Amino acid sequence: MEASDLRIGNYVWRTNKHTSDKMLIQLTASCILDISSNGEKSSFIYEPTLLTEELVKRLCYFNELVKDWGKREVNEWEYFNRYVFYNVLDGTSNLEIHAIHSKYGDSNNLEFCLSIDENERQGCEEIKYLHQLQNGVHFLTNQELEIK
């Protein structure tokens, strides 16, 4: 995780190297400066928050702009659940989060992507971490995505 990938307000895990205390924090300017200036010499370890469907559901449940739009079959080996931010782009277009599931193999192996007015997987930008989702939503909508 590079400092250039982060914004103030992003959620990341921070572990104190001396006490091993680990907590989910919202980044401040001083945290980003610590990451970029001190790197490995910092007193803290900063790690990205892996995106899970449960986390996406929490974000959607507490955000009035987002609705769970349910399951959609893509093909014989995968399906995705759609979470839609309605009319957030130019007042008419939707931003969608797709949680892509494999019908075979490891059920915990999910892929996530952001899509604009797309019903299919094509055109999705793959995301893996919460800060990537926050940054994508902010870039496209100028709104903050917060965890409650």
Side-chain angles (χ1 to χ4, degrees):
M1 180 171 66
E2 300 294 321
S4 59
D5 296 335
L6 302 171
R7 292 183 313 106
I8 293 171
N10 282 152
Y11 289 95
V12 298
W13 288 104
R14 182 175 71 182
T15 305
N16 185 314
K17 288 182 180 178
H18 306 291
T19 64
S20 298
D21 291 337
K22 185 174 184 176
M23 60 186 343
L24 185 65
I25 64 161
Q26 252 188 308
L27 286 176
T28 62
S30 62
C31 292
I32 294 173
L33 184 61
D34 184 33
I35 294 167
S36 62
S37 300
N38 299 325
E40 295 294 319
K41 296 176 186 173
S42 171
S43 296
F44 300 100
I45 299 169
Y46 297 90
E47 299 172 288
T49 305
L50 191 63
L51 202 54
T52 64
E53 189 156 15
E54 186 59 39
L55 185 54
V56 170
K57 286 178 183 177
R58 283 180 58 199
L59 294 168
C60 295
Y61 180 75
F62 289 108
N63 189 322
E64 62 190 38
L65 295 173
V66 187
K67 302 292 183 249
D68 179 343
W69 224 59
K71 181 177 170 179
R72 179 174 171 84
E73 300 288 329
V74 178
N75 51 42
E76 63 191 45
W77 59 87
E78 68 183 5
Y79 68 92
F80 63 83
N81 290 330
R82 295 171 64 201
Y83 302 93
V84 181
F85 294 78
Y86 286 100
N87 301 324
V88 294
L89 305 172
D90 68 27
T92 60
S93 298
N94 300 329
L95 177 65
E96 299 183 6
I97 303 169
H98 295 180
I100 303 164
H101 297 261
S102 172
K103 293 182 184 176
Y104 308 103
D106 185 2
S107 62
N108 293 322
N109 188 16
L110 287 175
E111 293 179 33
F112 293 89
C113 66
L114 279 178
S115 177
I116 299 171
D117 277 341
E118 291 284 336
N119 292 325
E120 302 298 334
R121 186 173 171 182
Q122 294 79 18
C124 278
E125 184 63 35
E126 187 174 341
I127 51 178
K128 215 173 158 178
Y129 301 108
L130 177 56
H131 74 275
Q132 293 173 323
L133 176 60
Q134 286 181 289
N135 293 347
V137 169
H138 184 265
F139 177 76
L140 293 169
T141 68
N142 202 29
Q143 297 180 34
E144 292 296 337
L145 189 57
E146 296 190 23
I147 298 176
K148 303 278 185 194

